[in-house]
Amino acid sequence: MFRICSFFLFVFTLAGGAPSGPADWIWSARYVITEDAQRRVIENGAVAIRGDRIVGVGGKAEIDKRFEAKQRLDRPDAILAPGLINTHTHAAMSLFRGIADDVRLQDWLEKYIFPAEAKNVSPEFVRWGARLGCLEMLLGGTTTFTDMYYFEDVVAEVAKEAGMRGVLGETIIGFPVADAKTPADALQFTERYLTRFRNDPLVVPAVAPHALYTNSDATLKAARALANKYNAPLIIHLAETKKERDDALSQRHMTPTKVLDTLGVFAGRTVAAHCVWVNEADMAILKARGVGVAHCPSSNMKLASGVAPVVRMLALGINVGLGPDGPAGSNNDFNMFEEMDLAAKLAKVTALDPQVLPATTALEMATIRGARVLGMEKEIGSLETGKRADLIMVRLDRPNAVPLYGAISQMVYALKADDVRDVMVNGKPVVRDAKILTLDEKAILAKAQEYRARVSASLK
Ligand SMILES: [Zn+2]
């Protein structure tokens, strides 16, 4: 009884009732960027972690007083920040990295990607591609990825193996593909997948109809119904190109956004990637339906798709996050630091106004706003007591990191994915000293070369 009482007192009396007591980890750094409601940046700060949750955030001295940690990581020359959230990508396409550059989206899809996929995509291809993608993402500070591909059950297995968080959507598309001969097959595959990964601590299974222009109305409606049956998010490409917008207007006299809304596709949690060709009425729909937007500046620039009106979306209160999109020609990497930097700069040059999208907003898009896009803002996106412990440590001892006048400016405009030193996801360290702890890096890089030879041969 005495022991229980003293433990109780220890837990609740220190620091005016704030949680205290034992912790599994304390991570401390020169600056802690919290992305909490006050957007605090704490100099000489620390975060305490117990199990998979953050139990304390504050000054290092205060956290050290409140918590007794089993293990600690002190980096007096680093920034500690929330793990970055990628809201749109195709991890397994890493094995097609650079297969066709400098072509239009439609040509890229129809002449290169769809044929290469038809000849190569298998569960093993997806497994090694997803491993390569997760490896690059984790080493670059991404702790959550939003994915859309075939054999997404394999991507989910890889995410768990890597110790990475994912919102992972099984693709549904209107022509025969590696894991489904018909959309009906794809819907069945997706239902089995949703059942298998329900309530997983790291994976949120999702339904991912590829786009309006690659699916029938009936399939789109069925995809929404299936997502709602399992309370799963729906992921879709939307209004990516002018052609997609023009085709919808000429064939149906509605914008793609209006068509999807009319079909009821937004009647539930939705993440829409790109949203480049949206007008005021479309943005009003996205706002009214609570659709989260994944802005992909690198991809939109590389494929010359256009400039998404993200400044206007943000002003309207639409949730906008960032995504690198696919590595196979539409980007070609998974670098969230680059997406932050480009999101800010693309908005500025488009508006001829350097103030329209400041560094603070760009970092929010990669963290807490990204969490809102996924409907996960209560769990991830900031360093706050009670949230999942997804953290990154970014080094400040390289030429591109000094001197430092503002931690957030440095994160967005100066630091690189390569500067990430340590990563924790769900309370577990997965990168230490820029080395992956969960995956076999050597084997993954060797396999990538092997697949390069196979893919090239298949296209001859
Ligand atoms: Zn995409």
Side-chain angles (χ1 to χ4, degrees):
M1 189 64 194
F2 171 77
R3 281 176 59 188
I4 292 169
C5 284
S6 60
F7 178 75
F8 190 84
L9 285 173
F10 181 49
V11 168
F12 287 99
T13 53
L14 285 169
S20 58
D24 292 311
W25 281 97
I26 288 177
W27 280 25
S28 76
R30 179 85 172 94
Y31 301 96
V32 175
I33 298 177
T34 63
E35 294 297 309
D36 66 6
Q38 296 81 40
R39 299 290 187 267
R40 283 183 304 156
V41 176
I42 304 165
E43 209 170 332
N44 298 316
V47 174
I49 297 113
R50 191 185 299 143
D52 56 7
R53 303 269 171 188
I54 293 170
V55 286
V57 181
K60 181 171 179 291
E62 178 212 330
I63 293 294
D64 283 349
K65 211 159 99 188
R66 280 168 50 196
F67 295 96
E68 190 112 24
K70 285 187 198 137
Q71 298 182 80
R72 54 187 309 135
L73 180 65
D74 298 301
R75 298 263 192 228
D77 214 359
I79 288 174
L80 181 52
L84 303 178
I85 297 172
N86 165 344
T87 58
H88 182 69
T89 204
H90 312 276
M93 291 180 83
S94 57
L95 292 177
F96 294 133
R97 191 191 312 270
I99 195 172
D101 291 321
D102 311 327
V103 294
R104 289 185 187 285
L105 175 74
Q106 225 55 36
D107 290 342
W108 175 73
L109 278 176
E110 287 163 16
K111 292 188 187 155
Y112 300 96
I113 292 302
F114 291 153
E117 286 179 335
K119 288 176 179 144
N120 292 284
V121 173
S122 67
E124 277 318 282
F125 177 95
V126 170
R127 189 174 307 281
W128 286 102
R131 279 178 178 149
L132 179 60
C134 287
L135 174 65
E136 184 185 339
M137 285 190 264
L138 283 174
L139 290 174
T142 299
T143 52
T144 298
F145 71 120
T146 310
D147 198 70
M148 176 197 269
Y149 210 55
Y150 311 105
F151 299 109
E152 200 68 26
D153 54 333
V154 175
V155 180
E157 287 171 11
V158 169
K160 290 170 70 66
E161 173 189 325
M164 189 168 183
R165 197 179 300 288
V167 177
L168 309 177
E170 167 64 22
T171 293
I172 295 166
I173 200 160
F175 51 82
V177 288
D179 63 356
K181 293 290 156 256
T182 64
D185 286 352
L187 286 159
Q188 272 179 19
F189 185 106
T190 307
E191 183 154 17
R192 285 196 302 276
Y193 164 64
L194 293 174
T195 313
R196 185 174 157 205
F197 287 95
R198 231 178 344 178
N199 305 320
D200 190 275
L202 284 176
V203 171
V204 176
V207 182
H210 174 266
L212 169 66
Y213 61 91
T214 45
N215 279 293
S216 69
D217 290 2
T219 303
L220 290 165
K221 284 185 187 174
R224 178 77 264 172
L226 180 61
N228 287 359
K229 182 174 169 189
Y230 290 89
N231 193 27
L234 183 145
I235 303 170
I236 192 162
H237 293 106
L238 174 60
E240 181 174 358
T241 61
K242 184 168 182 296
K243 182 180 187 315
E244 178 183 345
R245 197 269 319 256
D246 290 349
D247 287 352
L249 282 177
S250 66
Q251 290 159 16
R252 314 179 66 141
H253 311 292
M254 284 187 271
T255 62
T257 306
K258 180 75 182 158
V259 175
L260 290 187
D261 191 43
T262 307
L263 294 173
V265 172
F266 300 142
R269 193 154 33 120
T270 308
V271 181
H274 302 297
C275 300
V276 174
W277 293 88
V278 290
N279 61 25
E280 277 295 318
D282 294 334
M283 287 188 274
I285 290 170
L286 298 176
K287 168 69 181 155
R289 305 288 178 254
V291 174
V293 173
H295 176 41
C296 305
S298 288
S299 171
N300 297 160
M301 292 167 81
K302 186 152 185 281
L303 293 167
S305 302
V307 182
V310 286
V311 173
R312 180 68 185 143
M313 290 186 212
L314 291 165
L316 290 168
I318 296 168
N319 293 319
V320 185
L322 295 175
D325 201 5
S330 60
N331 189 326
N332 305 350
D333 55 21
F334 300 104
N335 185 339
M336 285 293 290
F337 282 82
E338 198 171 84
E339 299 308 322
M340 285 194 279
D341 182 72
L342 286 177
K345 289 174 181 168
L346 181 59
K348 293 172 198 299
V349 72
T350 304
L352 300 178
D353 178 353
Q355 297 186 306
V356 289
L357 207 160
T360 46
T361 308
L363 184 61
E364 286 169 5
M365 290 164 83
T367 55
I368 187 65
R369 288 180 190 270
R372 279 192 213 123
V373 166
L374 303 178
M376 295 172 75
E377 68 276 15
K378 289 196 173 71
E379 293 284 343
I380 57 173
S382 61
L383 301 182
E384 291 180 84
T385 298
K387 282 203 176 179
R388 302 275 184 167
D390 293 4
L391 297 79
I392 60 172
M393 197 72 97
V394 192
R395 62 196 301 172
L396 293 173
D397 58 355
R398 283 187 171 164
N400 60 304
V402 292
L404 185 150
Y405 295 97
I408 290 177
S409 156
Q410 211 83 329
M411 276 286 282
V412 173
Y413 297 129
L415 299 174
K416 315 286 173 206
D418 268 0
D419 295 320
V420 172
R421 211 163 162 192
D422 314 281
V423 179
M424 173 181 277
V425 181
N426 215 36
K428 292 210 169 59
V430 288
V431 174
R432 182 75 188 262
D433 248 330
K435 293 273 179 296
I436 193 83
L437 302 175
T438 48
L439 296 167
D440 183 345
E441 176 161 2
K442 228 175 127 197
I444 294 169
L445 300 191
K447 273 283 176 191
Q449 297 294 1
E450 204 182 300
Y451 271 104
R452 188 240 175 245
R454 268 195 238 175
V455 170
S456 298
S458 79
L459 293 177
K460 278 189 184 129

